[in-house]
Amino acid sequence: SRICMLIWRVKNNRGEGSMKYKRIILLLCVFFSVSLLHAQGKFDFNRIKAESHSFMTKEAGLTVQEAARFFPVYDEMRDKQRGYFERLRAIHNSKPSSEREASKMIEQADAYEIQLKQIEQRYHKEMLKVIPATKLLRVLEAERRFHRQTFRKMAGRR
């Protein structure tokens, strides 16, 4: 969490923080925080998952039928992404012993982020088969709001 906040501040202070980069960092921070709390035994993954589904359904105005078709695809995407988030976390938590190792870590992190985006892109196409594009946009915005709120709550507990 401290690492995430530090990265966030550095990017914002240099004026280079594009919206895409901020979204990736925010998403990574939420998943890192979730992983950390889960490892500490204080995190109920199923409860958060249910809360996020409920929040996104309500905010995007999904019908019961749309939600029933949408969330299995969404959850499958998140399951496939989870491994990459864990690998990224391992990279961010490690200390390189040389310039060469640091360079390899950067390249690997970039490759994982590209993989994450490709998975997301592929699943967005699948999601568009089960809900209209306007609703998918609202779901994605609701997801970002939910993650921001969750991150703020977790940060406030520390």
Side-chain angles (χ1 to χ4, degrees):
S1 239
R2 290 180 186 165
I3 293 171
C4 294
M5 293 306 290
L6 180 61
I7 292 170
W8 186 268
R9 286 185 193 136
V10 169
K11 283 307 279 182
N12 284 338
N13 288 339
R14 287 195 283 169
E16 298 173 10
S18 70
M19 187 55 79
K20 181 180 171 186
Y21 186 78
K22 288 179 183 177
R23 286 177 45 200
I24 290 171
I25 293 296
L26 179 63
L27 191 58
L28 288 173
C29 288
V30 169
F31 278 97
F32 292 156
S33 297
V34 165
S35 297
L36 181 64
L37 286 175
H38 184 66
Q40 294 173 351
K42 297 178 184 177
F43 182 75
D44 183 353
F45 179 76
N46 290 328
R47 183 180 58 83
I48 295 295
K49 182 176 170 181
E51 286 177 10
S52 71
H53 285 195
S54 175
F55 183 85
M56 289 186 280
T57 299
K58 180 181 172 194
E59 293 292 310
L62 296 179
T63 65
V64 173
Q65 294 82 9
E66 288 171 329
R69 291 189 319 260
F70 173 78
F71 284 111
V73 177
Y74 173 85
D75 291 339
E76 184 178 316
M77 176 186 75
R78 287 294 176 225
D79 288 342
K80 288 193 178 186
Q81 288 179 319
R82 191 168 294 117
Y84 289 102
F85 286 123
E86 290 169 4
R87 292 178 199 142
L88 277 168
R89 183 181 44 153
I91 287 173
H92 293 300
N93 288 335
S94 63
K95 306 270 191 263
S97 58
S98 67
E99 285 296 313
R100 185 178 190 162
E101 188 178 345
S103 180
K104 284 185 178 187
M105 288 171 61
I106 291 168
E107 288 176 20
Q108 191 63 62
D110 288 345
Y112 290 151
E113 288 179 14
I114 289 168
Q115 287 290 324
L116 284 167
K117 202 52 162 165
Q118 288 174 340
I119 290 168
E120 190 173 60
Q121 186 178 36
R122 191 167 55 244
Y123 275 90
H124 284 171
K125 289 177 185 175
E126 292 299 314
M127 292 171 191
L128 287 169
K129 293 176 183 176
V130 296
I131 62 173
T134 52
K135 286 194 176 184
L136 180 55
L137 278 175
R138 290 191 300 229
V139 166
L140 297 174
E141 175 56 32
E143 177 188 34
R144 286 188 291 276
R145 282 197 313 265
F146 180 80
H147 287 166
R148 280 193 305 266
Q149 289 175 7
T150 303
F151 184 69
R152 285 185 189 130
K153 285 179 191 175
M154 286 189 278
R157 290 182 193 159
R158 291 176 188 229

